[in-house]
């Protein structure tokens, strides 16, 4: 196939593979690999220490000291009061309190009502599970936020969070958003609409575009509400136990002006969910990561993760597919080392795609790599198979022409240099220097007149076959059989470019002649033994 036709074929093959990749991506085939790769990128990202968020943990020891679960309202009220007295700027109560727990019911209600810096949680719920209301005293206030977490599937990691959700009547704010919003208000930072896109929220120095159903590696995502990706960019948060707070053991410097989240970390409560960092994390800590992320974005320390436009994703998949097809197009004439190099190039390309995706992620851009990687493998594999099948057909065709006339080594040399003398499956006319060896049977005519025709054919056939073997063994090509003679050529069909190569052809022709003379002695001995003429 002419080179331009091969290139055109590779272009359309790349287009077909890219189309198939995009179709599979649209059907969600690459969502899980893309999300798992996102997890790997996230795990290798740098974390920054957060001096803003403090976790007040209810531990197993705290539950044993109380003697029961849940904690009494009095115990919670005492803990909240201790945080207020310690100068904590914002306090989040990440424990459901839809039902009062004696004693201390009025005490807890009083502090919740009086302290505007305290925020509590409720469960928004979904079609499969009922919601859980918050403390009755806060039901009509703006200090009650939902703490629902959003696993991608059952048992999957928490990679995204909802800042706002609606129950069909009014929008409700998440627990983490309320905490961040209250802390930022002291700095004069308030959420508002983006100047360029009023459907986006602007927080401080950055806009937070909400997720859509096909955001990044997601396909057909339930993106209701106002969701963003989590970056888990904070190092482990400072923690204190509930007992330490109640006992006055926490120094004021650790509390002053911070955001404290009071919640449960006891393993027996099973309030842990898988996270993309690996392992499981308590719900209160996940909310702390959301708060920290919002603070960093509002202050300009971090930026929300961007994604490609759809046309950019399509263009990337096609370019990668085209590069893969060009690699496969050049995969012909492969030795075992060539096959190893091809495999190295294919897997090296996958590695480069992975590194490129990681570099983009570090720069704040999430590029789903499932479709590009599939396109690279698919187009490289398709073109490699196509080139190999065509070469196999061409090799078979070439061997049919030469295999009966040349040695396997010469046939292989012809194949390796086929472009130099082969056109459209036939030898290309060319001028070259060759050494010609003529062989003739002495006394053939006289003997032929006396022998039976069948016996004569066997007699001559053995001679021709044995002489042809020596010619082929020395690199010659039997050009013609004429009666009792042979014409053999040395130096064809691959043209010799240097004088020393022409000289070597002459030496091989002379060596073949000497070897044929030796072979003839053995052949004559066999003829004598069988009563045939020499």
């Amino acid at each position: 196939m002419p080179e331009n036709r091969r290139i055109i074929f590779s272009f359309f093959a790349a287009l077909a593979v890219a189309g198939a990749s995009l179709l599979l991506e649209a059907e969600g085939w690459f969502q899980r690999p893309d999300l798992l790769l996102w997890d790997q990128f996230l795990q290798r990202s740098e974390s920054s220490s957060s001096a803003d968020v403090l976790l007040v943990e209810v531990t197993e020891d705290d539950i044993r000291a109380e003697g029961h679960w849940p904690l009494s309202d009095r115990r919670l009220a005492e803990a909240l009061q201790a945080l207020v007295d310690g100068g904590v700027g914002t306090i989040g109560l990440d424990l459901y309190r839809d039902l009062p727990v004696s004693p201390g019911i009025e005490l807890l209600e009083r502090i919740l009502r009086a302290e505007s810096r305290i925020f509590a949680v409720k469960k928004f719920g979904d079609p499969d599970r009922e919601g859980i209301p918050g403390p009755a005293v806060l039901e009509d206030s703006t200090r009650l936020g939902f703490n629902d977490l959003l696993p991608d599937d059952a048992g999957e990691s928490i990679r995204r969070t909802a800042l706002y959700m609606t129950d069909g009547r009014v929008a409700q704010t998440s627990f983490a958003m309320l905490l961040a919003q209250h802390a930022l208000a002291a700095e004069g930072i308030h959420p508002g609409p983006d100047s360029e896109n009023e459907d986006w929220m602007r927080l401080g120095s950055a806009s937070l575009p909400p997720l859509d159903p096909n955001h990044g590696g997601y396909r057909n995502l339930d993106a209701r509400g106002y969701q963003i990706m989590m970056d888990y960019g904070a190092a482990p948060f400072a923690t204190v136990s509930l007992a330490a707070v109640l006992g006055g053991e926490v120094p004021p410097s650790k509390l002053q002006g911070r955001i404290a989240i009071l919640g449960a970390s006891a393993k027996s409560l099973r309030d842990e969910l898988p996270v993309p960092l690996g392992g499981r994390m308590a719900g209160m800590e996940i909310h702390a990561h959301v708060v920290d992320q919002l603070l960093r974005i509002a202050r300009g320390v971090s930026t929300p993760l961007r994604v490609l436009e759809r046309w950019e994703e399509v263009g990337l998949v096609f370019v990668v597919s085209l590069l893969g097809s060009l690699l496969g197009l050049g995969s012909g004439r492969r030795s075992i080392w060539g096959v190893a190099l091809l495999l190295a190039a294919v897997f090296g390309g996958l590695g480069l795609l992975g590194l490129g995706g990681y570099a983009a992620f570090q720069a704040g851009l999430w590029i789903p790599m499932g479709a590009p990687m599939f396109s690279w493998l698919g187009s490289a594999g398709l073109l490699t198979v196509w080139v190999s099948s065509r070469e196999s057909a061409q090799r078979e065709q070439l061997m049919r022409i030469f295999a009966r006339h040349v040695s396997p080594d010469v046939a292989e040399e012809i194949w390796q240099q086929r472009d130099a003398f082969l056109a459209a499956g036939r030898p290309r006319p060319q001028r070259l220097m060759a050494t010609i060896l003529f062989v003739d049977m002495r006394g053939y005519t006289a003997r032929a007149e006396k022998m039976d025709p069948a016996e004569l054919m066997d007699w001559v056939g053995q001679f021709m076959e044995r002489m042809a073997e020596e010619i082929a063994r020395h690199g010659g090509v039997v050009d013609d059989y004429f009666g009792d003679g042979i014409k053999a050529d040395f130096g064809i069909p691959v043209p010799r470019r240097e004088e020393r190569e022409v000289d070597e052809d002459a030496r091989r022709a002379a060596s073949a002649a000497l070897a044929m003379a030796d072979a003839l002695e053995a052949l004559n001995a066999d003829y004598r033994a069988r009563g045939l003429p020499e």
Side-chain angles (χ1 to χ4, degrees):
M1 178 180 288
E3 189 64 25
N4 60 338
R5 291 180 62 188
R6 285 161 56 93
I7 294 175
I8 292 173
F9 179 85
S10 70
F11 176 84
F12 283 104
L15 191 63
V17 172
S21 299
L22 293 169
L23 181 62
L24 292 175
E25 182 184 48
E27 292 297 318
W29 283 51
F30 303 131
Q31 175 170 302
R32 182 165 177 78
D34 280 331
L35 293 179
L36 292 177
L37 193 59
W38 187 88
D39 294 349
Q40 293 300 312
F41 292 165
L42 195 66
Q43 291 172 21
R44 286 161 175 76
S45 299
E46 293 185 1
S47 299
S48 59
S49 59
S50 173
D52 293 285
V53 182
L54 173 69
L55 300 181
V56 181
E57 299 180 325
V58 178
T59 65
E60 297 288 357
D61 289 339
D62 293 322
I63 295 175
R64 281 193 287 269
E66 181 74 4
H68 60 82
W69 180 259
L71 300 178
S72 68
D73 286 0
R74 172 175 291 176
R75 189 69 67 198
L76 288 184
E78 291 172 348
L80 294 174
Q81 188 64 56
L83 294 174
V84 169
D85 294 342
V88 174
T90 304
I91 303 170
L93 178 60
D94 187 28
L95 294 172
Y96 293 123
R97 220 57 181 177
D98 53 317
L99 298 174
V101 181
S102 298
I105 296 174
E106 293 182 357
L107 185 62
L108 180 60
E109 289 180 352
R110 187 180 308 120
I111 192 170
L112 290 178
R113 185 182 296 110
E115 285 295 337
S116 60
R117 74 185 79 179
I118 299 177
F119 298 83
V121 295
K122 66 177 180 179
K123 186 173 183 60
F124 192 89
D126 55 45
D128 298 325
R129 291 174 294 180
E130 291 185 10
I132 301 174
V137 70
L138 296 180
E139 273 299 330
D140 296 327
S141 75
T142 57
R143 292 188 287 122
L144 188 61
F146 62 84
N147 67 343
D148 300 60
L149 297 173
L150 304 176
D152 288 322
D153 288 304
E156 272 285 338
S157 292
I158 306 297
R159 301 183 178 94
R160 54 197 168 88
T161 186
L163 303 181
Y164 300 97
M165 297 183 74
T166 178
D167 58 5
R169 294 174 293 138
V170 294
Q172 301 188 39
T173 308
S174 73
F175 175 61
M177 183 66 194
L178 287 177
L179 297 180
Q181 186 174 310
H182 182 266
L184 291 170
E187 304 174 26
I189 299 176
H190 304 276
D194 184 71
S195 57
E196 296 182 2
N197 191 328
E198 62 180 14
D199 293 330
W200 292 7
M201 180 181 71
R202 188 169 186 83
L203 188 64
S205 60
S207 297
L208 282 78
L211 305 189
D212 59 48
N214 295 318
H215 183 88
Y218 284 106
R219 287 298 173 267
N220 303 315
L221 172 69
D222 181 1
R224 288 177 295 177
Y226 201 104
Q227 300 180 30
I228 63 170
M229 298 296 295
M230 294 181 61
D231 65 12
Y232 290 93
F237 298 102
T239 62
V240 295
S241 68
L242 177 65
V245 171
L246 292 172
E249 301 171 10
V250 183
S253 60
K254 201 168 186 177
L255 299 175
Q256 190 71 37
R258 303 187 77 172
I259 302 171
I261 300 178
L262 172 57
S265 64
K267 300 293 184 182
S268 61
L269 301 179
R270 298 183 178 180
D271 183 28
E272 292 185 332
L273 289 168
V275 293
L277 299 179
R280 303 174 73 84
M281 188 177 289
M284 63 181 298
E285 189 173 356
I286 296 175
H287 295 306
H289 275 286
V290 179
V291 173
D292 175 77
Q293 180 177 343
L294 293 172
L295 295 179
R296 285 185 282 106
I297 290 174
R299 294 167 178 167
V301 178
S302 302
T303 56
L305 195 65
R306 297 178 293 111
V307 294
L308 295 176
E309 297 288 344
R310 184 56 182 164
W311 67 268
E312 293 174 314
E313 288 188 14
V314 171
L316 175 63
V317 169
F318 176 72
V319 168
V320 171
S321 183
L322 183 59
L323 292 175
S325 70
L326 293 178
L327 175 66
L329 192 63
S331 64
R333 305 175 201 179
R334 296 282 181 180
S335 63
I336 186 168
W337 290 110
V339 172
L341 287 175
L342 175 62
L343 292 175
V346 169
F347 288 105
L350 285 178
L352 287 176
L353 286 172
L355 288 175
Y358 176 67
F361 188 87
Q362 291 298 97
L365 179 65
W366 180 20
I367 303 177
M369 302 307 299
M373 287 180 169
F374 182 85
S375 293
W376 171 259
L377 286 175
S379 57
L382 176 63
L383 266 294
T384 298
V385 170
W386 178 74
V387 168
S388 299
S389 64
R390 286 196 59 81
E391 288 199 353
S392 295
Q394 292 172 354
R395 186 185 184 95
E396 184 179 352
Q397 182 185 42
L398 193 65
M399 292 302 103
R400 283 200 300 268
I401 297 174
F402 292 105
R404 294 184 180 181
H405 307 286
V406 299
S407 68
D409 291 341
V410 174
E412 181 62 30
E413 184 179 4
I414 292 171
W415 170 250
Q416 293 297 332
Q417 303 187 42
R418 58 192 180 279
D419 289 343
F421 66 90
L422 200 65
R426 296 183 179 184
R428 188 194 308 272
Q430 57 187 321
R431 184 182 299 277
L432 49 78
M433 181 72 73
T435 298
I436 311 302
L437 172 63
F438 291 94
V439 182
D440 183 70
M441 292 180 71
R442 186 170 55 192
Y444 166 77
T445 303
R447 289 174 174 78
E449 293 175 350
K450 300 176 181 179
M451 295 179 68
D452 177 76
E455 190 177 53
L456 174 65
M457 291 300 295
D458 181 60
W459 183 65
V460 173
Q462 288 186 54
F463 169 79
M464 296 292 187
E465 183 177 358
R466 189 68 186 85
M467 298 302 104
E469 288 176 359
E470 292 301 327
I471 292 170
R473 193 165 65 86
H474 288 79
V477 177
V478 175
D479 187 322
D480 188 21
Y481 295 98
F482 47 93
D484 62 336
I486 301 174
K487 175 175 176 285
D489 305 329
F490 292 79
I492 68 164
V494 180
R496 307 309 188 194
R497 304 301 182 190
E498 299 180 10
E499 185 175 352
R500 62 178 180 82
E501 294 177 325
V502 175
D503 293 345
E504 182 59 28
D505 287 335
R507 291 189 187 92
R508 287 191 286 112
S511 297
L514 295 173
M516 291 163 69
D518 293 338
L520 183 60
E521 291 185 7
L523 188 62
N524 277 330
D526 180 62
Y527 283 155
R528 286 194 299 271
R530 295 163 54 193
L532 295 174
E534 298 183 28

